């Protein structure tokens, strides 16, 4: 009886200890095909990078998972006059290392964001000045009325002025290889704190217990680990074995397998990203044609020939397994400025392409290098591999140069002086407005425009309309201008839009996660239910 009583007491004590145990940690591990390139909020304007920034840093305003704008570091705002917006900053906010958030940090971050080495400066192209009114009030003064300023400010990340000065990182660096302190370290105000950053291996975050919005948080995570897994089969295996809780993108051929496996599912939905091809249209001599004194892509007939040589239906059915929507525009349905008429593609017609090349003086075609990422978009390298023989059919000898996204973006981007003749890129307008791709992809005015206009397409009327759109507040006038600008670009064959890819995320059944149409994993909307 004594032994039995002792056993009961021990059991009761153990149960008591269990009752007083802290809540179990909620760890979330997720993966995609390529690593982020930097944690610096102003160095790279790329989807996965921007998604990670939103976990650590914050802006004056934020997008929820429905992509609607909501207050963040600003609690409210008002328009003082057509060119002045006043923002009232949230009080009591602290950066992760304890510094109080004030107007000085906003003014500093504006100047850093506008730096020539910033990849995010297009978002503030219309802002002339940010003026401190008091410790928690700032005015954004624009060059003219800006109808989408709030949309742009969802990508204007705020850094600590004192922290940046302390660590000698007051200016960003462009590219994936140059480093400063803020490349691998952070000090934001967001819901998660960076614990460890090992490039190409892992990025580890922990919950910010002092986040200003903790009382209203909708996640239950304590830690999160992001691991890049380049090989698609390995990534799928990691999901099925439980090594990761979530991964994306699920290879299209593996979606049925994932859905048929116990404990996992594939989340699918539309994405607002447009995948497209671009040409060098600014050099008098193409990089791939040294000594010739020629650049075929300056001729609209050559650009049209390339466009009509691409069998988009074959790519849609064979490469994308119908998980894409062929597009004739550089923007997707759901983006302001989308137009059904302009969305229709020009016909696939390789015979017409041959005639166009002959008329342009290239009856036997020519040779080019085709730059393509192999770890950024859904089936990116496979799409490029499919395009190569399509071009060969009209006499174009395209040598595929497929490489990891960091090297690809450095090569075709400003880092290496747009060192490309023909390339693939994808773009989701961060403002969800058709002005965004005009500013970033279709103009070269030298005032923050054309950051990813890698071939430097330009048209005087498109340049003029883009400037007018930036300050036009009348919706009807703005719609007409938007239509005209995108119509001109379409008929110029300034780029070759291919399609909008579909989202495919693989998740364990105990993961409750929101899937926004911009393909971003925002940890503030993740719950572990086991």
């Amino acid at each position: 009886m004594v032994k039995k009583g002792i056993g009961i007491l021990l059991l009761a004590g153990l149960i008591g200890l269990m009752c007083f145990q802290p809540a179990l940690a909620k760890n979330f591990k997720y993966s995609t095909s390529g690593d982020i390139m930097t944690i610096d909020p102003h160095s790279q304007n790329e989807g996965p990078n921007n998604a990670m920034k939103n976990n650590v840093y914050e802006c004056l305003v934020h997008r929820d998972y429905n992509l609607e704008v909501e207050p963040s570091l600003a609690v409210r705002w008002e328009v003082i006059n057509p060119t002045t917006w006043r923002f009232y900053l949230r009080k009591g906010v602290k950066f992760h290392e304890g510094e109080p958030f004030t107007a000085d940090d906003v003014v500093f971050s504006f100047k850093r964001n506008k730096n020539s080495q910033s990849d995010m400066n297009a978002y503030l192209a219309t802002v002339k000045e940010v003026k401190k009114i008091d410790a928690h009030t700032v005015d954004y003064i624009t060059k003219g009325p800006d109808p989408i300023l709030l949309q742009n400010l969802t990508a204007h990340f705020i850094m600590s002025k004192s922290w940046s000065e302390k660590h000698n990182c007051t200016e960003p660096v462009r590219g994936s290889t140059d480093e400063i302190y803020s490349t691998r370290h952070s000090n934001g105000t967001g819901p998660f704190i960076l614990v460890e950053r090992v490039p190409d291996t892992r990025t580890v975050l922990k919950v910010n217990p002092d986040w200003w919005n903790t009382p209203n948080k909708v996640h239950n995570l304590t830690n999160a680990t992001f691991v890049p897994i380049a090989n698609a089969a390995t990534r799928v295996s990691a999901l099925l074995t439980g090594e990761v809780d979530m991964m994306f993108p699920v290879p299209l051929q593996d979606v049925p397998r994932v859905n048929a496996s116990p404990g996992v599912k594939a989340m699918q939905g539309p994405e607002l990203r447009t995948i497209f091809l671009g040409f060098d249209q600014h050099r008098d001599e193409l990089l791939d044609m040294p000594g010739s004194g020629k650049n075929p892509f300056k001729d609209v007939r050559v650009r049209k020939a390339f466009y009509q040589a691409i069998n988009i239906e074959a790519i849609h059915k064979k490469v994308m397994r119908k998980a894409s929507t062929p597009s004739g525009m550089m923007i997707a349905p759901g983006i302001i400025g989308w137009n059904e008429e302009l969305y229709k593609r020009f016909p696939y017609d390789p015979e017409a392409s041959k005639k166009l090349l002959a008329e342009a003086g290239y009856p036997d075609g020519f040779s080019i290098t085709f730059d393509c990422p192999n770890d950024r978009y859904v089936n990116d390298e496979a799409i490029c591999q499919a395009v190569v023989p399509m071009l060969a059919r009209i006499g174009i000898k395209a040598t595929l140069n497929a490489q990891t996204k960091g090297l690809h973006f450095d090569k075709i981007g400003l880092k290496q002086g747009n060192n490309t003749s023909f390339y693939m890129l994808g773009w989701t307008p961060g403002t969800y407005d058709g002005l965004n791709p005009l500013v970033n992809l279709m103009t070269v005015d030298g005032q923050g425009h054309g950051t990813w206009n890698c071939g430097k397409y330009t048209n005087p009327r498109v340049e003029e309309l883009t400037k007018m759109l930036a300050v036009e507040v009348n919706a009807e006038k703005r719609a007409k201008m938007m239509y005209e600008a995108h119509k001109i670009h379409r008929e110029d064959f300034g780029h070759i839009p291919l399609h909008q890819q579909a989202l495919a995320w693989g998740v364990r059944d105990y993961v409750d996660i929101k899937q926004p149409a911009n393909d971003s994993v925002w940890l503030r909307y993740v719950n572990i239910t086991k």
Side-chain angles (χ1 to χ4, degrees):
M1 288 293 294
V2 174
K3 289 183 179 179
K4 185 176 180 180
I6 292 173
I8 291 172
L9 287 172
L10 287 173
L11 180 60
L14 179 60
I15 292 172
L17 284 171
M18 290 172 65
C19 291
F20 286 101
Q21 288 273 334
L24 291 174
K26 299 292 185 180
N27 301 311
F28 177 63
K29 189 174 183 181
Y30 66 111
S31 176
T32 190
S33 54
D35 196 15
I36 61 171
M37 291 176 282
T38 176
I39 200 70
D40 187 295
H42 304 137
S43 288
Q44 284 285 341
N45 182 22
E46 192 245 355
N49 272 264
N50 291 343
M52 184 61 75
K53 295 173 200 174
N54 269 290
N55 295 324
V56 176
Y57 288 96
E58 293 181 293
C59 307
L60 299 189
V61 291
H62 171 71
R63 289 191 187 278
D64 63 17
Y65 57 84
N66 292 315
L67 304 182
E68 298 293 334
V69 175
E70 62 183 10
S72 185
L73 290 179
V75 292
R76 62 185 180 92
W77 46 88
E78 59 183 331
V79 179
I80 303 298
N81 60 56
T83 60
T84 304
W85 290 58
R86 180 159 294 173
F87 291 85
Y88 298 90
L89 307 180
R90 193 175 298 277
K91 297 179 180 179
V93 175
K94 290 186 177 181
F95 288 93
H96 295 158
E97 294 191 7
E99 306 94 331
F101 160 67
T102 70
D104 291 329
D105 302 303
V106 177
V107 174
F108 164 78
S109 296
F110 162 73
K111 293 177 180 177
R112 193 179 192 273
N113 201 135
K114 291 279 281 187
N115 186 280
S116 61
Q117 286 300 301
S118 169
D119 202 26
M120 304 293 288
N121 51 27
Y123 289 101
L124 298 178
T126 66
V127 183
K128 181 170 60 176
E129 180 186 4
V130 174
K131 183 181 297 184
K132 175 183 175 180
I133 304 303
D134 59 41
H136 290 92
T137 311
V138 293
D139 281 354
Y140 276 66
I141 302 169
T142 58
K143 299 171 185 176
D146 186 346
I148 59 169
L149 178 64
L150 281 182
Q151 311 296 324
N152 277 311
L153 291 184
T154 61
H156 173 29
F157 295 93
I158 307 301
M159 295 180 72
S160 163
K161 179 176 184 290
S162 60
W163 182 85
S164 300
E165 292 171 343
K166 176 182 176 181
H167 295 291
N168 194 30
C169 55
T170 56
E171 296 183 354
V173 292
R174 188 184 295 276
S176 64
T177 54
D178 295 339
E179 288 201 12
I180 51 179
Y181 189 79
S182 53
T183 302
R184 300 197 193 194
H185 304 82
S186 70
N187 184 32
T189 59
F192 290 86
I193 299 170
L194 180 66
V195 175
E196 184 182 27
R197 168 88 182 116
V198 183
D200 298 318
T201 304
R202 63 184 173 275
T203 300
V204 182
L205 308 172
K206 67 177 182 180
V207 71
N208 177 11
D210 299 318
W211 186 38
W212 59 267
N213 204 26
T214 293
N216 299 313
K217 73 176 184 179
V218 294
H219 76 86
N220 66 353
L221 302 183
T222 50
N223 300 281
T225 302
F226 167 69
V227 290
I229 302 176
N231 183 274
T234 305
R235 201 165 60 248
V236 172
S237 177
L239 174 70
L240 298 182
T241 60
E243 181 184 341
V244 299
D245 305 302
M246 178 265 183
M247 56 76 73
F248 70 110
V250 179
L252 299 177
Q253 67 271 17
D254 288 323
V255 169
R257 177 187 171 201
V258 168
N259 281 328
S261 300
V264 294
K265 64 179 178 179
M267 298 174 63
Q268 293 183 274
E271 188 182 13
L272 297 177
R273 184 186 317 279
T274 299
I275 306 299
F276 63 91
L277 306 179
F279 324 86
D280 172 2
Q281 299 172 59
H282 70 102
R283 292 182 177 89
D284 291 328
E285 181 178 272
L286 204 64
L287 293 171
D288 291 309
M289 300 175 67
S292 68
K294 296 180 178 180
N295 182 348
F297 293 132
K298 281 181 170 285
D299 192 321
V300 66
R301 292 171 296 185
V302 174
R303 301 195 299 270
K304 183 176 182 180
F306 270 58
Y307 184 119
Q308 294 198 272
I310 294 174
N311 186 343
I312 196 64
E313 282 302 315
I315 292 173
H316 170 64
K317 293 175 182 176
K318 301 283 181 67
V319 181
M320 297 301 292
R321 296 173 180 255
K322 298 186 178 180
S324 65
T325 305
S327 174
M329 285 187 80
M330 296 287 281
I331 55 176
I335 302 295
I336 295 172
W338 178 85
N339 180 275
E340 185 175 5
E341 172 197 336
L342 302 183
Y343 196 62
K344 295 176 183 176
R345 287 184 60 84
F346 288 94
Y348 164 61
D349 192 341
E351 292 306 313
S353 295
K354 291 178 185 178
K355 291 179 182 178
L356 286 166
L357 286 177
E359 291 173 9
Y362 302 97
D364 300 319
F366 52 89
S367 299
I368 54 166
T369 301
F370 183 13
D371 292 305
C372 182
N374 60 18
D375 61 356
R376 177 61 189 96
Y377 312 115
V378 176
N379 289 347
D380 43 17
E381 185 174 7
I383 295 168
C384 294
Q385 288 172 337
V387 167
V388 169
M390 294 175 186
L391 294 177
R393 183 175 176 183
I394 65 168
I396 302 299
K397 305 169 190 67
T399 300
L400 183 59
N401 177 38
Q403 54 187 339
T404 187
K405 65 178 183 179
L407 297 175
H408 175 71
F409 292 152
D410 280 356
K411 184 175 189 293
I412 72 171
L414 293 175
K415 172 71 175 177
Q416 295 184 20
N418 306 122
N419 181 22
T420 186
S421 298
F422 186 52
Y423 62 92
M424 170 187 272
L425 194 61
W427 195 261
T428 304
T431 58
Y432 308 100
D433 184 277
L435 175 61
N436 177 277
L438 288 168
V439 168
N440 286 281
L441 306 175
M442 306 179 204
T443 51
V444 289
D445 77 344
Q447 300 179 24
H449 289 201
T451 306
W452 285 99
N453 186 356
C454 303
K456 292 185 169 55
Y457 163 82
T458 186
N459 178 293
R461 180 57 176 164
V462 173
E463 299 278 353
E464 180 184 18
L465 287 165
T466 299
K467 291 176 182 177
M468 293 166 63
L469 277 164
V471 297
E472 181 56 66
V473 295
N474 181 285
E476 186 176 346
K477 290 181 180 178
R478 198 167 185 274
K480 290 180 180 178
M481 291 178 189
M482 191 84 74
Y483 171 84
E484 183 183 354
H486 282 274
K487 184 174 187 290
I488 292 171
H489 174 269
R490 179 178 186 268
E491 294 174 352
D492 273 348
F493 297 89
H495 298 82
I496 304 176
L498 296 178
H499 58 238
Q500 283 85 45
Q501 63 188 26
L503 298 178
W505 292 6
V507 298
R508 304 293 302 181
D509 57 9
Y510 52 76
V511 176
D512 177 15
I513 187 171
K514 300 293 189 292
Q515 185 185 50
N518 64 2
D519 201 26
S520 292
V521 177
W522 288 332
L523 297 175
R524 67 181 70 193
Y525 300 123
V526 178
N527 281 275
I528 302 296
T529 60
K530 67 175 181 180

